[in-house]
Amino acid sequence: MTASETHRTIDAVWRIESPRLIAGLARIVRDVGVAEDLAQDALVAALEQWPESGVPDNPGAWLMATAKHRAIDLFRRNKRVEGKHEELGHELESRQETAVPEFDSVIDDDIGDDLLRLMFTACHPVLSAEARVALTLRLLGGLTTEEIARAFLVPEPTVAQRIVRAKRTLARERVPFEVPRGNELAARLSSVIEVIYLVFNEGYTATAGDDWMRPALCEDALRLGRILAELVPKEPEIHGLVALMEIQASRTRARVGPSGQPILLLDQNRALWDQLLIRRGLAALERVDKLGGARGAYALQAAIAACHARARTPAETDWARIAALYETLAGIAPSPVVELNRAVAVAMAFGPAAGLELVEPLTAEPSLENYHLLPSVRGDLLAKLGRFNEARPEFERAASLTRNTRERELLLDRARACINVSTPEEPEDGRKGT
C-alpha cells in the first residue's frame, strides 16, 4: 500500500471510528475537549506510524489504545490537581483490559450508551443552538469544520469559533457526561433532533469528497434516531425524524450506479428501494398522526418522502400534494432552501415556467450565494424550457460550487449536454415544455 493509499485509509477509518473514540474517552476523562484532543493525538500517531508499519487489523482498537496511553501520560504530567489526576490515571490503567471491548461494542437501546451521552452533552443548554449543532456534528458526525460550514451556509471561521467556544464552555461549566432526565431531557430534544438529521443528511449526500454517499453516517444517525424514539415515545417530531430517515435511507442502493455515479430520484430503479425501510418509515409517520396535533417540520418532510415512496413510477408521483406540503413547511420553518425545494415541486406539478418564477427571487438571497443547488435547479428548469444557452452556465456554476467529485461530474455532464442543442423559438407566454 502506498503512502497516499494509507493516508486515504486513515481518513476513512477516522470518519468511522472518531465518534466512538471520542465518546469512549469522554466517558473516562469527563471533558469532551480533552477527549477530542486525545483522539487527535492518536490520529497523528496513526499518520506517523501506519505508512511504515501498515494499517492494523483492528484500526479502531489501535486508535483507542493509543489515545488511552496519551491520556495516562497527560494525567501523569499535569501536576495542578495531582491527587485527582493520579486517581484517574489508575482508573485508566485498570480499564486497560476492558476499554477496547467496550469501544468495539455497538450502540444498543441502552440510553446510557457513550454516543448518546456525548450527543446530549454536546447539546447542553449552556451552549447556543448553533454551537450545539456544530459541536455535535464535529464530535459525533466526524465532519470537518468546512463541511459543517457548508451545511449551515455560514463562513468557516464562524463555525470554528463556535466549536472552540463550545468546548471551553462545557469544561468551564463542568457539564456532566450523562443522559439528562425529566424536564431537562425535554428541553434538549429539539437540538438533538436537528443534529441527528444533519448527520444523516451528510451521509445521504456528502458535501465533499469522492463519494456521493457516506452510508455509515446514515446508519449512525438512524440508530441514534431510533434510540431517541424509544427514549421519548410520546414526542411526535422524533417519530417524524425517524420516518424521514427510514424512507430516505430506503433509496440508498438505487442512488449510486455501478461506478459510483449519482442517480437522481426520477431516474432510480424503484425495485431497488428497500421496502422494509419504507414500511418502517410509514409506520413511524403513522405514530406521529396517532399522537395528535399538527405535524412538525420533520414530520412534514417525512410526508413528502412518503409521497415518493408510495409512487410505483415517477409519473405516479403526487407533485401537487408535495408542493402543498412544502408550502405548509415554509409556513412553520421558513428558509430559502425550503423555498427552493418548493419551486422544484411546483415545476413538476405545474410546469418549469411556474417553478422558475419562484426560483428567480432566490438568486438575490445572500445565504444561497454559494449554494450549488440553486444554479443546478435553475439550469434544470431553463433546460426544460428549451433555453439551453442559459442553462449551460448555470450547470457550470453549480459544478464549480460543489465540493463533491461525483456531483461535479454529473453537473458538468449536464452542462455539456446543453452545448450545440438547437433552441427553437420560444412561445410568447414563456411556458414552453409545460
Side-chain angles (χ1 to χ4, degrees):
M1 184 180 291
T2 66
S4 61
E5 289 173 337
T6 301
H7 286 161
R8 284 197 296 271
T9 300
I10 293 171
D11 181 66
V13 168
W14 178 255
R15 291 280 188 178
I16 296 169
E17 304 290 357
S18 63
R20 285 178 287 178
L21 178 62
I22 294 169
L25 291 166
R27 172 172 44 81
I28 298 172
V29 301
R30 302 289 169 174
D31 185 315
V32 295
V34 173
E36 187 185 17
D37 289 343
L38 292 169
Q40 291 284 348
D41 286 346
L43 173 63
V44 170
L47 289 168
E48 292 174 347
Q49 298 179 34
W50 291 4
E52 294 293 330
S53 63
V55 178
D57 293 336
N58 190 335
W62 189 99
L63 288 170
M64 185 56 147
T66 301
K68 290 196 287 99
H69 285 304
R70 295 287 195 278
I72 293 169
D73 291 342
L74 172 66
F75 290 136
R76 286 173 173 169
R77 288 197 308 268
N78 194 329
K79 303 297 183 182
R80 286 176 296 176
V81 195
E82 185 172 332
K84 180 63 176 176
H85 288 174
E86 286 181 0
E87 176 186 338
L88 288 170
H90 289 312
E91 179 184 355
L92 281 172
E93 289 177 317
S94 69
R95 290 172 180 257
Q96 207 53 18
E97 296 300 321
T98 61
V100 170
E102 289 175 0
F103 172 74
D104 288 337
S105 65
V106 296
I107 305 173
D108 54 25
D109 290 337
D110 182 2
I111 63 173
D113 180 84
D114 287 342
L115 284 174
L116 194 57
R117 289 193 190 107
L118 182 59
M119 176 72 75
F120 278 105
T121 301
C123 292
H124 197 279
V126 297
L127 305 177
S128 69
E130 294 84 358
R132 297 174 209 169
V133 173
L135 182 61
T136 306
L137 282 172
R138 171 78 176 206
L139 297 180
L140 282 111
L143 308 186
T144 66
T145 303
E146 180 183 6
E147 288 168 341
I148 299 169
R150 287 181 61 79
F152 285 108
L153 304 176
V154 295
E156 185 177 346
T158 300
V159 173
Q161 290 176 1
R162 287 176 185 171
I163 292 172
V164 170
R165 290 171 182 168
K167 289 190 288 188
R168 289 175 179 170
T169 300
L170 291 174
R172 183 179 67 248
E173 299 296 327
R174 299 181 181 274
V175 170
F177 187 69
E178 63 185 17
V179 175
R181 305 288 178 179
N183 293 334
E184 188 181 5
L185 172 62
R188 287 198 239 169
L189 278 177
S190 61
S191 63
V192 172
I193 290 171
E194 181 181 10
V195 166
I196 290 175
Y197 186 56
L198 283 169
V199 172
F200 177 88
N201 217 31
E202 178 60 29
Y204 191 69
T205 305
T207 57
D210 296 331
D211 296 319
W212 175 238
M213 296 187 66
R214 294 176 187 156
L217 280 180
C218 294
E219 292 167 6
D220 283 342
L222 261 172
R223 186 169 294 174
L224 287 171
R226 291 165 182 161
I227 290 171
L228 275 179
E230 294 299 320
L231 178 64
V232 191
K234 294 184 180 181
E235 174 54 51
E237 269 294 75
I238 294 177
H239 297 296
L241 168 70
V242 172
L244 175 58
M245 294 191 298
E246 300 277 16
I247 296 172
Q248 286 186 316
S250 72
R251 308 174 196 149
T252 297
R253 286 190 300 158
R255 295 186 74 237
V256 180
S259 61
Q261 75 275 19
I263 301 177
L264 301 181
L265 178 63
L266 297 183
D267 299 322
Q268 290 171 15
N269 178 0
R270 300 190 176 207
L272 295 177
W273 288 4
D274 190 321
Q275 294 302 312
L276 174 60
L277 289 179
I278 290 175
R279 288 194 297 272
R280 293 182 64 156
L282 295 177
L285 193 56
E286 287 179 6
R287 293 184 71 179
V288 173
D289 295 332
K290 288 179 180 178
L291 288 169
R295 288 176 173 176
Y298 291 98
L300 284 169
Q301 292 178 74
I304 292 168
C307 287
H308 293 295
R310 292 188 177 106
R312 292 173 298 177
T313 65
E316 295 180 20
T317 305
D318 190 348
W319 286 105
R321 170 69 174 158
I322 292 174
L325 287 167
Y326 270 122
E327 187 172 3
T328 303
L329 179 60
I332 66 170
S335 81
V337 173
V338 171
E339 287 299 324
L340 183 62
N341 286 326
R342 184 168 78 90
V344 172
V346 167
M348 296 299 295
F350 307 110
L356 188 61
E357 186 176 348
L358 296 176
V359 168
E360 295 297 9
L362 297 176
T363 60
E365 173 59 49
S367 65
L368 296 183
E369 182 179 358
N370 295 314
Y371 188 55
H372 71 283
L373 291 181
L374 175 59
S376 175
V377 168
R378 191 167 186 274
D380 180 68
L381 297 178
L382 288 168
K384 288 178 178 177
L385 289 167
R387 295 160 62 177
F388 299 105
N389 289 336
E390 296 174 73
R392 180 172 56 82
E394 292 294 317
F395 288 129
E396 290 173 343
R397 172 169 166 73
S400 71
L401 291 174
T402 184
R403 302 297 298 275
N404 186 281
T405 303
R406 297 293 187 177
E407 193 168 25
R408 183 183 303 114
E409 293 170 353
L410 174 66
L411 290 164
L412 290 176
D413 285 343
R414 300 202 68 185
R416 284 189 286 268
C418 293
I419 299 175
N420 299 324
V421 178
S422 60
T423 306
E425 218 173 284
E426 293 184 13
E428 291 183 4
D429 65 3
R431 293 186 63 80
K432 179 180 176 66
T434 62

